[in-house]
Amino acid sequence: MNSHPSLKTIGRVLTVIMALAATPHIQAQYARPIAYAATTEQEARPPKHEVRAVWLTTIGGIDWPHSYAKATNPSAIRRQQQELCTILDQLQQANINTVLIQTRVRATTIYPCNQEPWDGCLSGNPGQSPGYDALQYAIDECHKRGMECHAWVVTIPIGKWNGVGCRNLRATHPELLRKIGEDGYMNPEHLGTADYLANICADLTRRYDIDGIHLDYIRYPETWTIRAAKGSSQGDLKAPEARRACITRIVRAIHDAVKTQKPWVKMSCSPIGKYADLARYSSHGWNARDKVCQDAQAWLRDGLMDQLYPMMYFRANQFYPFAIDWAENSYGRTVVPGLGIYFLDPREGKWQLQDVERQLQLLRQLNLGHTFFRSDFFTRNVKGIYDYTRNYIDRYPALVPPMTWQSAQRPAAPTRLDVSYGGNTQLSWTGTSPFYNIYASKEYPVDISDARNLMAQRISGRQFSMPTHQEYYYAVTAMDRYGNESAPVQSWQRATGNARQLLQNDGYRLQLPPEVSLTEARYAVVETLQGTIMATLPLTGNTLNIQSLPEGAYQVRSLGKKGITHRLGMFTVKR
């Protein structure tokens, strides 16, 4: 199943890698040039669609929380919640758009669950409620900031054999467990394991407005002996093929349980960072497909996964060719490699910031996203990783790529965009979509294909307030649950409060500005405010026959012999 990168891709990426290796390390302000040669203005633009994610770990509170909450102590609850808000504010400011929050920890949870007990990270006492629903709070706060929130579910490991999560499952489902050393694991070979985990994920999907179910450790433990047996049958559980089928059975059961309820909820997992050995590069015995039986690329191909977050905690030739392999076997889905930024911490490894910079720029060339493991190393700005991300690689926001394989229908555009000014700029509009994106530019109409114009994303209401930017025009688009975006509704009113002068007409003849005679144009093109051409009409002097146009708002531009155009103005038709 493993394919090899094309020569074209290899050549392009090798060029990028050599350029990156030659790029001097500039600390001050990160004002460095792009390390590859952009052949067009479009290539030089930052990407409008790209997943930028972090793993936010709750086990032991190593990312969050750093204090304990109790139902009898409201101030302790507020302190714990404020800790999370501080983290999310930092992530938002760095244009992170996806938060993977550890929700099922070790057969324990950060939300009230009938099947499994509370994890101790919130209250300090395993099995005890912190006095609030931490998952619901995280979802609400992520959504306020325009970020997706995915429930990170640790699947197979269930902690120490005598830990609270494992003890609970030993009492309720002993047939599903296996002890290895001092730890307990769910048995992937038992048919009931798939049903149990699918029920956990179905419950999460039904009760919460999550954007994704993210499966972690959906694999065999490396300590579970898997003996290769060439030519063995599917029924022989000692065969790697049969073992892969066991893991895939669990993935399929969870996929079906989630998608039946909410098909827009993204299915993802974090496989081992190398899928399999490549023709010229060995995985050195640590890969997803053969070592731990994760057939992750097949899950993309078969539609069981919408996203993959491979844990690519490697450098140099253990990173670059395997990243290419993920890119060339994405099957049109979203691949978001995880980067081991914890190695930047001197206590963890000997990486330098340049190591991660090169990886990030390569991933962008491959049209892949990036995920940081883990949140604390990112927000603590270890060796400048936060500054580099915020000020350079992710300087501008990006939308999560749409799930066009699930649905590609664009929603209807919003209407009646109004802009008013006081202490702030107030935008309001009408529409029926769950989300809206806000764009602003000094040029009219606002170019919504340019990420540099994206001001706010995933707004759930139908109004928005922002600091006033002088001389800006605004546009609003609708976005559905799958990430499909509508055409924009544009406002021609600038932040100065002065509306553009509308061209006069009686519903049948449009009066054009005097300067039209200087353009040497022979035709006029009439468009909707969204840019749809409605008519191309001959110019006769300074008037235009518009009787064929329906009532509505339009913009008009001249069209010369060589295709040169000039914007003439806007008008409304009302009869």
Side-chain angles (χ1 to χ4, degrees):
M1 143 126 215
N2 183 41
S3 64
H4 305 299
S6 68
L7 292 177
K8 180 179 179 181
T9 300
I10 292 174
R12 179 177 175 85
V13 171
L14 287 177
T15 300
V16 175
I17 294 171
M18 288 188 291
L20 288 169
T23 302
H25 182 61
I26 303 173
Q27 290 281 356
Q29 299 180 2
Y30 298 95
R32 60 192 74 198
I34 295 178
Y36 64 94
T39 57
T40 66
E41 192 274 337
Q42 188 67 31
E43 276 194 35
R45 288 183 176 186
K48 180 179 173 179
H49 292 95
E50 183 177 70
V51 175
R52 293 121 178 226
V54 297
W55 279 291
L56 203 161
T57 305
T58 58
I59 188 170
I62 55 176
D63 284 339
W64 175 80
H66 293 154
S67 64
Y68 294 132
K70 298 183 184 301
T72 56
N73 190 342
S75 63
I77 293 175
R78 288 193 297 271
R79 181 169 59 250
Q80 188 175 94
Q81 292 174 338
Q82 184 56 51
E83 289 175 0
L84 179 61
C85 288
T86 299
I87 294 170
L88 297 182
D89 284 342
Q90 288 182 271
L91 298 180
Q92 180 190 25
Q93 291 160 11
N95 289 316
I96 297 297
N97 57 27
T98 302
V99 176
L100 311 170
I101 185 166
Q102 194 171 29
T103 300
R104 184 188 193 237
V105 185
R106 291 294 186 270
T108 52
T109 68
I110 66 166
Y111 67 99
C113 177
N114 291 330
Q115 295 171 269
E116 297 184 336
W118 286 94
D119 190 78
C121 67
L122 298 167
S123 69
N125 297 301
Q128 180 177 309
S129 168
Y132 75 107
D133 186 336
L135 176 59
Q136 185 63 62
Y137 187 81
I139 293 169
D140 292 343
E141 293 301 319
C142 284
H143 288 175
K144 287 178 185 177
R145 294 163 176 78
M147 297 186 290
E148 291 195 357
C149 186
H150 295 215
W152 165 7
V153 175
V154 180
T155 54
I156 301 301
I158 52 175
K160 295 300 180 182
W161 191 250
N162 291 318
V164 62
C166 190
R167 285 205 317 270
N168 174 69
L169 279 176
R170 285 164 56 192
T172 58
H173 296 280
E175 73 282 1
L176 303 184
L177 310 187
R178 178 168 174 178
K179 184 180 181 183
I180 302 178
E182 297 301 315
D183 297 313
Y185 296 87
M186 303 200 74
N187 184 353
E189 296 169 7
H190 194 290
L191 294 176
T193 295
D195 293 335
Y196 183 87
L197 291 172
N199 286 336
I200 290 283
C201 295
D203 181 59
L204 279 168
T205 304
R206 180 173 56 253
R207 292 170 53 194
Y208 294 94
D209 186 22
I210 53 175
D211 301 292
I213 291 288
H214 178 67
L215 305 180
D216 185 22
Y217 216 108
I218 186 70
R219 61 179 178 88
Y220 275 86
E222 56 270 30
T223 51
W224 194 303
T225 303
I226 302 175
R227 181 172 58 85
K230 295 182 179 180
S232 58
S233 67
Q234 181 74 6
D236 181 1
L237 285 180
K238 293 182 180 180
E241 294 86 352
R243 290 265 169 81
R244 282 193 287 273
C246 289
I247 301 297
T248 297
R249 180 178 64 229
I250 299 172
V251 170
R252 187 179 301 278
I254 297 173
H255 169 275
D256 292 350
V258 168
K259 295 292 186 177
T260 298
Q261 296 190 52
K262 297 177 182 176
W264 59 83
V265 170
K266 297 176 177 70
M267 280 293 304
S268 72
C269 71
S270 51
I272 300 301
K274 304 167 191 175
Y275 175 66
D277 288 337
L278 303 178
R280 295 179 58 190
Y281 296 94
S282 170
S283 65
H284 300 291
W286 182 241
N287 64 63
R289 184 176 185 273
D290 301 316
K291 177 63 177 178
V292 294
C293 302
Q294 291 176 308
D295 212 353
Q297 290 181 359
W299 300 340
L300 289 178
R301 180 197 63 204
D302 297 340
L304 298 180
M305 288 287 166
D306 302 300
Q307 300 177 326
L308 289 184
Y309 294 78
M311 300 180 292
M312 300 194 69
Y313 309 153
F314 318 106
R315 289 188 294 182
N317 285 341
Q318 288 300 297
F319 180 90
Y320 300 125
F322 294 95
I324 297 171
D325 182 59
W326 287 114
E328 295 220 334
N329 291 279
S330 67
Y331 297 95
R333 269 56 171 180
T334 305
V335 178
V336 195
L339 305 182
I341 63 170
Y342 61 95
F343 285 124
L344 294 172
D345 191 315
R347 296 170 296 181
E348 301 284 347
K350 297 181 179 180
W351 286 20
Q352 300 303 315
L353 182 59
Q354 299 99 312
D355 295 317
V356 183
E357 290 176 8
R358 294 169 184 173
Q359 294 178 348
L360 285 166
Q361 294 197 36
L362 173 68
L363 295 179
R364 181 150 295 169
Q365 291 306 296
L366 294 173
N367 296 316
L368 303 178
H370 47 269
T371 317
F372 295 119
F373 185 80
R374 37 186 181 81
S375 171
D376 181 63
F377 295 99
F378 182 64
T379 56
R380 280 198 294 112
N381 196 28
V382 177
K383 286 188 179 171
I385 182 61
Y386 181 88
D387 288 342
Y388 173 76
T389 302
R390 176 179 177 177
N391 298 326
Y392 176 63
I393 196 73
D394 292 343
R395 181 178 178 183
Y396 298 99
L399 302 178
V400 173
M403 299 168 63
T404 52
W405 52 90
Q406 195 84 51
S407 172
Q409 184 175 355
R410 298 177 71 186
T415 58
R416 298 174 60 89
L417 174 58
D418 294 317
V419 183
S420 60
Y421 306 96
N424 288 327
T425 299
Q426 305 286 337
L427 283 76
S428 60
W429 59 90
T430 60
T432 58
S433 292
F435 306 118
Y436 297 91
N437 302 317
I438 314 295
Y439 298 83
S441 173
K442 293 183 179 180
E443 302 294 328
Y444 185 89
V446 179
D447 181 2
I448 68 164
S449 69
D450 192 337
R452 292 170 293 189
N453 295 335
L454 183 58
M455 299 289 289
Q457 61 201 62
R458 286 178 59 92
I459 303 300
S460 58
R462 292 171 183 81
Q463 57 186 5
F464 188 74
S465 176
M466 69 179 79
T468 296
H469 298 275
Q470 296 297 320
E471 302 298 323
Y472 270 61
Y473 301 98
Y474 297 95
V476 178
T477 62
M479 191 168 68
D480 66 15
R481 292 271 183 180
Y482 301 97
N484 298 303
E485 193 175 22
S486 75
V489 56
Q490 303 266 0
S491 169
W492 59 80
Q493 190 174 358
R494 295 195 285 186
T496 56
N498 297 323
R500 288 191 173 213
Q501 184 67 43
L502 294 179
L503 302 177
Q504 300 300 308
N505 71 92
D506 60 2
Y508 303 94
R509 304 292 298 183
L510 176 69
Q511 186 66 41
L512 297 174
E515 57 266 27
V516 70
S517 61
L518 302 178
T519 65
E520 299 183 356
R522 300 175 60 185
Y523 295 92
V525 177
V526 179
E527 302 172 331
T528 67
L529 299 187
Q530 289 78 32
T532 302
I533 296 177
M534 297 295 292
T536 302
L537 305 171
L539 277 173
T540 54
N542 286 81
T543 62
L544 193 66
N545 186 339
I546 59 170
Q547 62 182 357
S548 63
L549 296 176
E551 291 188 353
Y554 301 95
Q555 54 189 338
V556 60
R557 55 187 173 85
S558 63
L559 180 62
K561 294 180 181 180
K562 297 182 180 180
I564 298 174
T565 67
H566 296 277
R567 188 183 176 284
L568 301 178
M570 299 181 179
F571 64 97
T572 59
V573 176
K574 188 174 182 181
R575 301 185 181 96

